[in-house]
Amino acid sequence: MPDELTYVDHAATTPLRPEARTAMLPWLGERFGNPSGAHRVARAARQAVDEARDVVAEVVGCRPGDVVFTSGGTEADNLAVRGVHAARPGRVLCSAVEHEAVLQPVAHVGGTTVPVDERGVVDLEALDASLGAGATLVSVMAANNEVGTVQPIDAVVEVVRRRAPAAAVHTDAVQATAWLPLPELVAGADLVSLSSHKVGGPQGVGALVVRQGTPLRAVALGGGQERELRSGTHDVAGIVGFAAALRQVLATRDATAARVRALRDRLADGLVAAVPGAVETGAPRDGRLPGALHLCLPGVESESLLFLLDEDGVCASAASACASGAQQASHVLAAMGVPAEQARGALRLSLGWTTTAADVDRSLRAVPRAVARLREVTV
Ligand code: PLP
Protein backbone atom coordinates (compact mmCIF):
# COMPACT_ATOMS: atom_id res chain seq x y z
CA MET A 1 0.00 0.00 0.00
CA PRO A 2 1.39 3.46 -0.83
CA ASP A 3 2.21 5.79 2.07
CA GLU A 4 0.31 8.74 0.75
CA LEU A 5 -3.40 8.81 0.12
CA THR A 6 -4.60 10.76 -2.88
CA TYR A 7 -8.22 11.71 -2.39
CA VAL A 8 -9.79 12.94 -5.61
CA ASP A 9 -13.43 12.16 -4.85
CA HIS A 10 -14.60 15.43 -3.31
CA ALA A 11 -17.89 15.34 -5.24
CA ALA A 12 -18.77 12.23 -3.20
CA THR A 13 -17.88 13.88 0.08
CA THR A 14 -15.23 16.36 1.16
CA PRO A 15 -13.30 16.24 4.45
CA LEU A 16 -14.74 17.91 7.53
CA ARG A 17 -13.28 21.38 7.91
CA PRO A 18 -11.48 21.97 11.21
CA GLU A 19 -13.70 24.99 11.87
CA ALA A 20 -16.79 22.77 11.56
CA ARG A 21 -15.35 20.21 13.94
CA THR A 22 -14.43 22.87 16.50
CA ALA A 23 -17.89 24.41 16.30
CA MET A 24 -19.57 21.02 16.72
CA LEU A 25 -17.57 19.70 19.66
CA PRO A 26 -19.42 21.56 22.44
CA TRP A 27 -22.71 20.27 21.01
CA LEU A 28 -21.42 16.73 21.31
CA GLY A 29 -20.51 17.35 24.93
CA GLU A 30 -21.52 19.94 27.48
CA ARG A 31 -23.95 21.79 25.25
CA PHE A 32 -27.19 20.05 24.42
CA GLY A 33 -30.89 20.76 24.40
CA ASN A 34 -33.89 20.32 22.20
CA PRO A 35 -34.38 23.54 20.21
CA SER A 36 -38.16 23.11 20.35
CA GLY A 37 -38.30 23.42 24.13
CA ALA A 38 -38.93 26.50 26.30
CA HIS A 39 -36.29 26.49 29.06
CA ARG A 40 -32.83 28.00 28.92
CA VAL A 41 -31.03 24.87 27.74
CA ALA A 42 -33.54 24.51 24.90
CA ARG A 43 -33.38 28.21 24.09
CA ALA A 44 -29.60 28.06 23.79
CA ALA A 45 -29.91 25.21 21.30
CA ARG A 46 -32.57 27.14 19.38
CA GLN A 47 -30.29 30.16 19.25
CA ALA A 48 -27.50 28.04 17.78
CA VAL A 49 -29.87 26.70 15.12
CA ASP A 50 -31.11 30.20 14.33
CA GLU A 51 -27.56 31.53 13.99
CA ALA A 52 -26.89 28.72 11.54
CA ARG A 53 -30.08 29.63 9.71
CA ASP A 54 -28.72 33.16 9.22
CA VAL A 55 -25.55 31.74 7.64
CA VAL A 56 -27.47 29.50 5.22
CA ALA A 57 -29.62 32.51 4.29
CA GLU A 58 -26.52 34.57 3.55
CA VAL A 59 -25.02 31.81 1.41
CA VAL A 60 -28.17 31.37 -0.67
CA GLY A 61 -29.40 34.96 -0.65
CA CYS A 62 -32.75 34.37 1.03
CA ARG A 63 -34.56 35.24 4.26
CA PRO A 64 -33.56 33.20 7.34
CA GLY A 65 -37.23 32.22 7.62
CA ASP A 66 -37.01 30.50 4.22
CA VAL A 67 -34.48 27.93 5.47
CA VAL A 68 -35.74 24.45 6.38
CA PHE A 69 -33.06 22.20 7.89
CA THR A 70 -33.13 18.59 6.70
CA SER A 71 -31.04 15.44 7.04
CA GLY A 72 -29.17 16.23 3.81
CA GLY A 73 -29.50 16.84 0.11
CA THR A 74 -31.58 13.74 -0.52
CA GLU A 75 -34.25 14.75 1.96
CA ALA A 76 -34.22 18.34 0.68
CA ASP A 77 -34.75 17.14 -2.90
CA ASN A 78 -37.53 14.75 -1.86
CA LEU A 79 -39.26 17.45 0.16
CA ALA A 80 -39.08 19.87 -2.76
CA VAL A 81 -40.49 17.49 -5.36
CA ARG A 82 -42.97 15.54 -3.29
CA GLY A 83 -43.91 18.52 -1.13
CA VAL A 84 -44.81 20.77 -4.07
CA HIS A 85 -46.66 17.92 -5.76
CA ALA A 86 -48.65 17.24 -2.57
CA ALA A 87 -49.57 20.91 -2.20
CA ARG A 88 -50.37 21.44 -5.85
CA PRO A 89 -50.69 18.26 -7.92
CA GLY A 90 -49.79 18.71 -11.56
CA ARG A 91 -47.07 18.04 -14.10
CA VAL A 92 -43.53 17.83 -12.77
CA LEU A 93 -40.45 18.07 -14.97
CA CYS A 94 -36.75 17.74 -14.30
CA SER A 95 -33.59 17.60 -16.38
CA ALA A 96 -32.39 14.18 -17.47
CA VAL A 97 -29.09 14.60 -15.60
CA GLU A 98 -30.48 15.18 -12.11
CA HIS A 99 -29.21 13.24 -9.12
CA GLU A 100 -31.30 10.19 -8.22
CA ALA A 101 -32.59 12.15 -5.22
CA VAL A 102 -34.56 14.26 -7.72
CA LEU A 103 -35.05 11.75 -10.54
CA GLN A 104 -36.73 9.15 -8.37
CA PRO A 105 -39.21 11.44 -6.60
CA VAL A 106 -40.05 12.99 -9.98
CA ALA A 107 -40.72 9.51 -11.42
CA HIS A 108 -42.70 8.68 -8.27
CA VAL A 109 -45.13 11.55 -8.88
CA GLY A 110 -45.44 10.63 -12.57
CA GLY A 111 -43.15 13.39 -13.83
CA THR A 112 -40.97 13.45 -16.94
CA THR A 113 -37.43 14.44 -17.88
CA VAL A 114 -36.20 17.17 -20.21
CA PRO A 115 -33.20 16.34 -22.44
CA VAL A 116 -29.75 17.92 -22.19
CA ASP A 117 -27.19 18.66 -24.90
CA GLU A 118 -23.74 17.06 -25.28
CA ARG A 119 -22.34 19.39 -22.60
CA GLY A 120 -25.00 18.29 -20.14
CA VAL A 121 -26.81 21.64 -20.34
CA VAL A 122 -30.60 21.45 -20.20
CA ASP A 123 -32.26 21.95 -23.59
CA LEU A 124 -34.20 25.19 -23.09
CA GLU A 125 -36.20 24.75 -26.30
CA ALA A 126 -37.30 21.29 -25.23
CA LEU A 127 -38.21 22.70 -21.80
CA ASP A 128 -40.17 25.49 -23.47
CA ALA A 129 -42.01 23.00 -25.66
CA SER A 130 -42.93 20.68 -22.82
CA LEU A 131 -44.19 23.41 -20.48
CA GLY A 132 -47.69 24.82 -20.36
CA ALA A 133 -50.67 25.10 -18.06
CA GLY A 134 -50.75 22.19 -15.68
CA ALA A 135 -47.04 22.22 -14.89
CA THR A 136 -46.48 22.81 -11.18
CA LEU A 137 -42.76 22.15 -10.72
CA VAL A 138 -39.56 22.25 -12.77
CA SER A 139 -36.35 20.96 -11.18
CA VAL A 140 -32.95 21.67 -12.75
CA MET A 141 -29.76 21.24 -10.75
CA ALA A 142 -27.34 24.19 -10.38
CA ALA A 143 -24.36 21.96 -11.19
CA ASN A 144 -24.02 18.28 -12.00
CA ASN A 145 -22.33 15.82 -9.64
CA GLU A 146 -20.77 13.59 -12.31
CA VAL A 147 -19.44 15.93 -14.97
CA GLY A 148 -19.70 19.29 -13.16
CA THR A 149 -21.73 21.10 -15.81
CA VAL A 150 -23.21 24.36 -14.50
CA GLN A 151 -26.80 25.02 -15.59
CA PRO A 152 -28.22 28.39 -16.69
CA ILE A 153 -30.76 28.59 -13.86
CA ASP A 154 -31.75 32.18 -14.71
CA ALA A 155 -32.67 31.08 -18.25
CA VAL A 156 -34.63 28.10 -16.87
CA VAL A 157 -36.53 30.47 -14.56
CA GLU A 158 -37.26 32.81 -17.47
CA VAL A 159 -38.74 29.99 -19.57
CA VAL A 160 -40.82 28.66 -16.66
CA ARG A 161 -42.20 32.12 -15.73
CA ARG A 162 -43.18 32.73 -19.34
CA ARG A 163 -44.66 29.34 -20.17
CA ALA A 164 -46.01 28.15 -16.81
CA PRO A 165 -46.25 31.12 -14.44
CA ALA A 166 -47.87 29.05 -11.70
CA ALA A 167 -45.05 26.48 -11.63
CA ALA A 168 -42.34 26.53 -8.96
CA VAL A 169 -38.66 26.17 -9.86
CA HIS A 170 -36.43 23.93 -7.75
CA THR A 171 -32.68 23.72 -8.05
CA ASP A 172 -30.40 21.19 -6.41
CA ALA A 173 -27.39 23.31 -5.48
CA VAL A 174 -25.67 20.53 -3.52
CA GLN A 175 -22.58 20.48 -5.77
CA ALA A 176 -22.54 24.19 -6.64
CA THR A 177 -22.47 25.58 -3.09
CA ALA A 178 -18.75 25.09 -2.46
CA TRP A 179 -17.78 26.83 -5.68
CA LEU A 180 -20.24 29.42 -6.94
CA PRO A 181 -22.03 32.48 -5.51
CA LEU A 182 -25.57 31.15 -5.08
CA PRO A 183 -27.28 34.54 -4.67
CA GLU A 184 -26.46 35.14 -8.35
CA LEU A 185 -26.82 31.61 -9.66
CA VAL A 186 -30.13 30.64 -8.04
CA ALA A 187 -31.71 34.07 -7.56
CA GLY A 188 -34.93 33.14 -9.36
CA ALA A 189 -35.41 29.64 -7.93
CA ASP A 190 -38.25 29.12 -5.46
CA LEU A 191 -36.65 26.08 -3.82
CA VAL A 192 -32.94 25.36 -3.33
CA SER A 193 -31.39 22.15 -1.92
CA LEU A 194 -28.09 22.15 -0.01
CA SER A 195 -25.99 19.44 1.62
CA SER A 196 -23.48 19.98 4.42
CA HIS A 197 -20.97 17.23 3.61
CA LYS A 198 -20.25 18.61 0.14
CA VAL A 199 -18.94 21.86 1.64
CA GLY A 200 -16.84 20.50 4.49
CA GLY A 201 -19.57 20.15 7.10
CA PRO A 202 -20.67 16.87 8.66
CA GLN A 203 -22.64 14.23 6.80
CA GLY A 204 -26.34 13.84 7.45
CA VAL A 205 -27.46 17.46 7.44
CA GLY A 206 -28.65 19.84 4.77
CA ALA A 207 -31.33 22.38 4.01
CA LEU A 208 -34.13 23.20 1.64
CA VAL A 209 -34.68 26.90 1.00
CA VAL A 210 -38.38 27.53 0.43
CA ARG A 211 -39.01 31.07 -0.68
CA GLN A 212 -42.09 32.82 0.66
CA GLY A 213 -45.29 31.92 -1.16
CA THR A 214 -44.02 28.61 -2.59
CA PRO A 215 -46.69 25.92 -2.20
CA LEU A 216 -45.21 23.07 -0.16
CA ARG A 217 -46.68 20.39 2.07
CA ALA A 218 -44.66 18.36 4.58
CA VAL A 219 -43.68 14.85 3.56
CA ALA A 220 -42.92 13.46 7.04
CA LEU A 221 -45.52 14.17 9.71
CA GLY A 222 -44.69 14.70 13.35
CA GLY A 223 -43.88 17.46 15.77
CA GLY A 224 -44.15 20.27 13.23
CA GLN A 225 -40.63 21.67 13.50
CA GLU A 226 -39.25 23.95 10.78
CA ARG A 227 -42.49 25.82 10.12
CA GLU A 228 -44.44 22.55 9.99
CA LEU A 229 -42.42 21.59 6.90
CA ARG A 230 -39.89 19.18 8.39
CA SER A 231 -40.81 17.38 11.56
CA GLY A 232 -38.14 15.87 13.75
CA THR A 233 -35.76 17.06 16.43
CA HIS A 234 -32.93 19.10 14.96
CA ASP A 235 -29.42 17.71 14.70
CA VAL A 236 -28.00 20.73 16.50
CA ALA A 237 -24.35 19.67 16.32
CA GLY A 238 -24.72 18.89 12.62
CA ILE A 239 -26.46 22.16 11.87
CA VAL A 240 -23.80 24.14 13.76
CA GLY A 241 -21.05 22.31 11.87
CA PHE A 242 -22.79 22.90 8.57
CA ALA A 243 -22.95 26.64 9.28
CA ALA A 244 -19.29 26.75 10.31
CA ALA A 245 -18.34 25.06 7.02
CA LEU A 246 -20.48 27.51 5.09
CA ARG A 247 -18.75 30.43 6.84
CA GLN A 248 -15.47 29.04 5.53
CA VAL A 249 -16.98 28.75 2.06
CA LEU A 250 -17.98 32.41 2.22
CA ALA A 251 -14.52 33.44 3.42
CA THR A 252 -12.41 31.33 1.06
CA ARG A 253 -14.53 30.30 -1.93
CA ASP A 254 -13.11 32.52 -4.64
CA ALA A 255 -9.48 31.89 -3.71
CA THR A 256 -10.08 28.13 -3.39
CA ALA A 257 -11.92 28.03 -6.70
CA ALA A 258 -9.06 29.80 -8.51
CA ARG A 259 -6.41 27.57 -6.92
CA VAL A 260 -8.32 24.33 -7.56
CA ARG A 261 -9.26 25.34 -11.10
CA ALA A 262 -5.56 25.68 -11.95
CA LEU A 263 -4.84 22.25 -10.41
CA ARG A 264 -7.78 20.70 -12.28
CA ASP A 265 -6.60 22.19 -15.58
CA ARG A 266 -3.08 20.85 -15.06
CA LEU A 267 -4.47 17.40 -14.23
CA ALA A 268 -6.78 17.42 -17.25
CA ASP A 269 -4.07 18.57 -19.66
CA GLY A 270 -1.60 16.06 -18.26
CA LEU A 271 -3.97 13.09 -18.47
CA VAL A 272 -5.23 13.91 -21.94
CA ALA A 273 -1.60 14.11 -23.07
CA ALA A 274 -0.47 10.98 -21.24
CA VAL A 275 -3.35 8.59 -21.94
CA PRO A 276 -3.85 7.88 -25.65
CA GLY A 277 -7.49 8.32 -26.65
CA ALA A 278 -8.54 10.02 -23.39
CA VAL A 279 -11.47 12.38 -23.89
CA GLU A 280 -12.57 15.03 -21.42
CA THR A 281 -16.33 14.73 -20.96
CA GLY A 282 -18.88 17.50 -20.75
CA ALA A 283 -18.90 21.23 -21.10
CA PRO A 284 -15.79 23.31 -21.84
CA ARG A 285 -13.86 23.82 -18.60
CA ASP A 286 -15.27 27.28 -17.87
CA GLY A 287 -18.78 25.81 -18.00
CA ARG A 288 -17.96 23.31 -15.26
CA LEU A 289 -17.30 23.46 -11.55
CA PRO A 290 -13.62 24.26 -10.87
CA GLY A 291 -12.98 20.92 -9.16
CA ALA A 292 -14.69 18.74 -11.76
CA LEU A 293 -12.79 16.51 -14.16
CA HIS A 294 -14.49 13.65 -15.97
CA LEU A 295 -12.71 11.55 -18.57
CA CYS A 296 -13.67 8.65 -20.82
CA LEU A 297 -10.72 6.33 -21.36
CA PRO A 298 -11.18 3.90 -24.24
CA GLY A 299 -10.08 0.31 -23.81
CA VAL A 300 -10.52 0.16 -20.03
CA GLU A 301 -13.39 -0.65 -17.70
CA SER A 302 -14.07 1.85 -14.92
CA GLU A 303 -14.37 -0.83 -12.28
CA SER A 304 -10.93 -2.34 -12.96
CA LEU A 305 -9.36 1.09 -13.29
CA LEU A 306 -10.76 2.23 -9.94
CA PHE A 307 -9.50 -0.98 -8.34
CA LEU A 308 -5.95 -0.41 -9.57
CA LEU A 309 -6.07 3.27 -8.60
CA ASP A 310 -7.27 2.34 -5.12
CA GLU A 311 -4.37 -0.11 -4.79
CA ASP A 312 -2.09 2.75 -5.74
CA GLY A 313 -3.64 4.98 -3.04
CA VAL A 314 -5.78 7.06 -5.40
CA CYS A 315 -9.42 7.34 -4.34
CA ALA A 316 -11.54 8.28 -7.35
CA SER A 317 -14.88 7.21 -8.76
CA ALA A 318 -16.70 6.65 -12.00
CA ALA A 319 -20.04 8.27 -11.43
CA SER A 320 -21.96 9.16 -8.34
CA ALA A 321 -21.12 7.37 -5.13
CA CYS A 322 -24.65 6.63 -4.12
CA ALA A 323 -25.16 3.13 -5.41
CA SER A 324 -23.60 0.43 -3.26
CA GLY A 325 -20.27 0.68 -5.04
CA ALA A 326 -21.73 -1.23 -7.95
CA GLN A 327 -20.90 0.34 -11.28
CA GLN A 328 -23.99 0.97 -13.31
CA ALA A 329 -24.20 2.74 -16.64
CA SER A 330 -24.37 6.46 -15.97
CA HIS A 331 -27.71 8.06 -16.85
CA VAL A 332 -25.87 11.38 -17.04
CA LEU A 333 -23.46 10.22 -19.74
CA ALA A 334 -26.29 8.50 -21.62
CA ALA A 335 -28.37 11.69 -21.56
CA MET A 336 -25.38 13.63 -22.93
CA GLY A 337 -25.17 11.20 -25.83
CA VAL A 338 -21.89 9.58 -24.77
CA PRO A 339 -21.84 6.16 -26.49
CA ALA A 340 -22.15 3.25 -24.06
CA GLU A 341 -18.80 1.86 -25.23
CA GLN A 342 -17.06 5.12 -24.32
CA ALA A 343 -18.93 5.45 -21.02
CA ARG A 344 -17.53 2.09 -19.89
CA GLY A 345 -14.19 3.76 -19.29
CA ALA A 346 -15.56 6.68 -17.26
CA LEU A 347 -13.34 8.23 -14.60
CA ARG A 348 -14.40 11.06 -12.31
CA LEU A 349 -11.62 12.90 -10.53
CA SER A 350 -13.15 15.58 -8.33
CA LEU A 351 -10.87 18.03 -6.56
CA GLY A 352 -11.69 20.02 -3.46
CA TRP A 353 -10.55 22.42 -0.78
CA THR A 354 -7.82 20.08 0.54
CA THR A 355 -6.40 19.13 -2.89
CA THR A 356 -2.69 19.89 -3.31
CA ALA A 357 -0.22 19.95 -6.20
CA ALA A 358 1.13 16.64 -4.84
CA ASP A 359 -2.33 15.05 -5.28
CA VAL A 360 -2.28 16.15 -8.90
CA ASP A 361 1.28 14.84 -9.40
CA ARG A 362 0.39 11.45 -7.92
CA SER A 363 -2.80 11.21 -10.02
CA LEU A 364 -0.78 12.12 -13.10
CA ARG A 365 1.51 9.18 -12.40
CA ALA A 366 -1.12 6.68 -11.23
CA VAL A 367 -3.82 7.02 -13.90
CA PRO A 368 -1.61 6.48 -17.00
CA ARG A 369 0.14 3.61 -15.20
CA ALA A 370 -3.16 1.89 -14.37
CA VAL A 371 -4.57 2.42 -17.86
CA ALA A 372 -1.39 0.99 -19.43
CA ARG A 373 -1.62 -2.11 -17.22
CA LEU A 374 -5.27 -2.67 -18.13
CA ARG A 375 -4.65 -2.17 -21.83
CA GLU A 376 -1.82 -4.70 -21.71
CA VAL A 377 -4.22 -7.23 -20.23
CA THR A 378 -7.03 -6.65 -22.69
CA VAL A 379 -4.97 -6.59 -25.91
N1 PLP B 1 -27.81 16.05 -5.10
C1 PLP B 1 -26.58 16.02 -5.64
C2 PLP B 1 -26.32 16.80 -6.89
C3 PLP B 1 -25.56 15.28 -5.04
O1 PLP B 1 -24.35 15.23 -5.58
C4 PLP B 1 -25.85 14.58 -3.84
C5 PLP B 1 -24.82 13.75 -3.17
O2 PLP B 1 -24.27 12.83 -3.73
C6 PLP B 1 -27.15 14.65 -3.32
C7 PLP B 1 -28.10 15.39 -3.97
C8 PLP B 1 -27.51 13.92 -2.06
O3 PLP B 1 -27.08 14.63 -0.93
P1 PLP B 1 -26.89 13.87 0.48
O4 PLP B 1 -25.71 12.97 0.32
O5 PLP B 1 -26.66 14.99 1.46
O6 PLP B 1 -28.16 13.15 0.75
Side-chain angles (χ1 to χ4, degrees):
M1 204 46 205
D3 303 336
E4 303 246 43
L5 189 73
T6 305
Y7 185 80
V8 277
D9 200 15
H10 289 262
T13 199
T14 199
L16 188 70
R17 294 179 189 257
E19 296 81 2
R21 185 184 139 88
T22 302
M24 289 171 76
L25 280 176
W27 294 99
L28 299 169
E30 70 278 13
R31 301 198 73 181
F32 66 100
N34 185 328
S36 302
H39 50 66
R40 68 192 62 209
V41 173
R43 288 198 308 272
R46 185 155 64 249
Q47 188 182 338
V49 170
D50 284 339
E51 283 169 14
R53 203 182 296 286
D54 291 344
V55 178
V56 175
E58 187 183 344
V59 166
V60 176
C62 67
R63 300 176 325 140
D66 297 342
V67 176
V68 174
F69 284 111
T70 66
S71 64
T74 301
E75 188 190 343
D77 286 345
N78 271 265
L79 179 57
V81 175
R82 301 173 80 172
V84 168
H85 188 71
R88 199 178 280 173
R91 278 205 320 122
V92 175
L93 297 107
C94 71
S95 91
V97 293
E98 295 301 306
H99 190 276
E100 293 290 345
V102 168
L103 277 182
Q104 294 207 22
V106 166
H108 185 76
V109 301
T112 48
T113 58
V114 178
V116 298
D117 65 16
E118 71 288 349
R119 300 167 300 169
V121 175
V122 67
D123 182 337
L124 293 170
E125 282 179 21
L127 177 64
D128 194 318
S130 44
L131 277 173
T136 50
L137 179 68
V138 174
S139 181
V140 176
M141 68 204 321
N144 182 263
N145 47 299
E146 285 185 34
V147 293
T149 302
V150 179
Q151 300 287 352
I153 299 301
D154 49 353
V156 169
V157 170
E158 188 278 316
V159 174
V160 175
R161 299 290 180 248
R162 182 163 46 76
R163 297 279 292 130
V169 176
H170 167 244
T171 188
D172 174 336
V174 164
Q175 292 289 340
T177 313
W179 303 108
L180 301 171
L182 296 188
E184 292 161 36
L185 187 66
V186 306
D190 303 297
L191 301 135
V192 183
S193 297
L194 308 180
S195 172
S196 156
H197 73 108
K198 310 289 185 176
V199 298
Q203 296 166 344
V205 59
L208 179 67
V209 164
V210 185
R211 290 201 215 264
Q212 215 172 8
T214 309
L216 192 79
R217 191 176 287 176
V219 170
L221 305 179
Q225 289 90 341
E226 297 295 281
R227 294 187 288 128
E228 306 269 332
L229 290 173
R230 198 280 181 174
S231 284
T233 302
H234 298 86
D235 172 0
V236 181
I239 289 169
V240 166
F242 180 22
L246 286 176
R247 281 199 189 92
Q248 285 306 110
V249 169
L250 285 171
T252 61
R253 183 186 55 219
D254 294 349
T256 304
R259 185 181 71 78
V260 172
R261 184 185 298 280
L263 291 173
R264 188 272 315 267
D265 289 351
R266 182 160 75 82
L267 180 58
D269 290 339
L271 290 179
V272 168
V275 180
V279 181
E280 216 175 325
T281 324
R285 289 182 197 162
D286 62 359
R288 305 203 312 253
L289 294 177
L293 174 57
H294 187 288
L295 298 161
C296 287
L297 308 169
V300 299
E301 300 255 358
S302 297
E303 207 170 339
S304 321
L305 177 62
L306 293 173
F307 179 82
L308 287 188
L309 288 177
D310 191 22
E311 272 198 329
D312 219 355
V314 176
C315 302
S317 70
S320 64
C322 300
S324 53
Q327 300 300 326
Q328 294 165 343
S330 156
H331 69 277
V332 173
L333 298 185
M336 290 165 63
V338 175
E341 185 52 36
Q342 200 174 317
R344 280 155 58 105
L347 176 64
R348 179 182 74 173
L349 301 169
S350 50
L351 281 51
W353 68 279
T354 58
T355 303
T356 62
D359 291 322
V360 170
D361 293 338
R362 286 194 295 269
S363 303
L364 281 171
R365 283 194 297 273
V367 175
R369 191 158 56 205
V371 172
R373 265 183 71 187
L374 291 171
R375 285 182 176 165
E376 256 167 44
V377 176
T378 47
V379 167

